[in-house]
Every structure is written in structure tokens, then in C-alpha cells.
Amino acid sequence: MCGAARSAGRRSSDLDSQRASEEVAAEFLRRRFGRRWIGLSVEEEREALGTFPSLGIRGGLTYDALIGATAARAGATLVSLDERALSVYAAVGADVDLSG
């Protein structure tokens, strides 16, 4: 195994150890937001997906773009720790708070 692969593996496991369990995340969301959920209608989602290619958004970035588009459409601030997705969030007009 090359050094880069070993190093990448360590970083991945380091990130995994910093993540909350599914149960903790679900409980946080339930307590923080209760019944206040936002989402795109089927038509809004279809429209958003149609704009992504012209914005250079493809592949796995599509998921980040849908999250950002949902927040933007609702006028909500997206709270995220994913600095890699900032350019995608900006492209779809999402207001982002990285303070987490």
C-alpha cells in the first residue's frame, strides 16, 4: 500500500471517529427542529436538477446542491461543516453558516 493510500485511510477513520452516531444525530434533529421541516416539491426538485449541469454541478455534488437549493428556496440558512461544498452552496444561492 502506498503512503498516500495509508494516509487517506487514516484521515477517513479520524473523520469517522468525530461523527455523531445515527441515534445522536436523529435525536438532535428531533429536539432542534421538531416538526419544522423544509423540502422541495417534486416540480422544484426537477427544476433544480435541470439547472445543475449549467452550473458545473454533477455526480456526488448533486446531493450538496439539492441540500443548498432546498435551503435557498425556503429562505433558510444552511448550517454545515462541509467547507468542500461551499462553492456548490453558493452556486445554488444558499446562505451558509460554517460556525456549526
Side-chain angles (χ1 to χ4, degrees):
M1 177 183 285
C2 75
R6 279 193 302 268
S7 176
R10 272 194 300 254
R11 276 185 261 142
S12 177
S13 63
D14 289 347
L15 289 175
D16 288 342
S17 70
Q18 295 175 13
R19 293 180 189 215
S21 70
E22 293 85 355
E23 294 83 13
V24 169
E27 180 65 15
F28 168 78
L29 292 172
R30 186 187 66 70
R31 287 182 183 204
R32 174 65 174 88
F33 299 105
R35 295 177 187 231
R36 189 175 154 245
W37 293 88
I38 60 174
L40 297 175
S41 69
V42 171
E43 190 55 44
E44 290 169 330
E45 187 173 322
R46 188 176 293 127
E47 179 184 322
L49 288 168
T51 65
F52 296 164
S54 67
L55 298 171
I57 298 169
R58 56 184 66 81
L61 296 177
T62 300
Y63 294 106
D64 296 320
L66 280 172
I67 292 166
T70 301
R73 180 73 59 139
T77 298
L78 174 60
V79 178
S80 176
L81 297 176
D82 189 356
E83 293 182 15
R84 298 171 303 166
L86 282 178
S87 62
V88 174
Y89 297 148
V92 297
D95 179 35
V96 181
D97 175 356
L98 285 176
S99 67

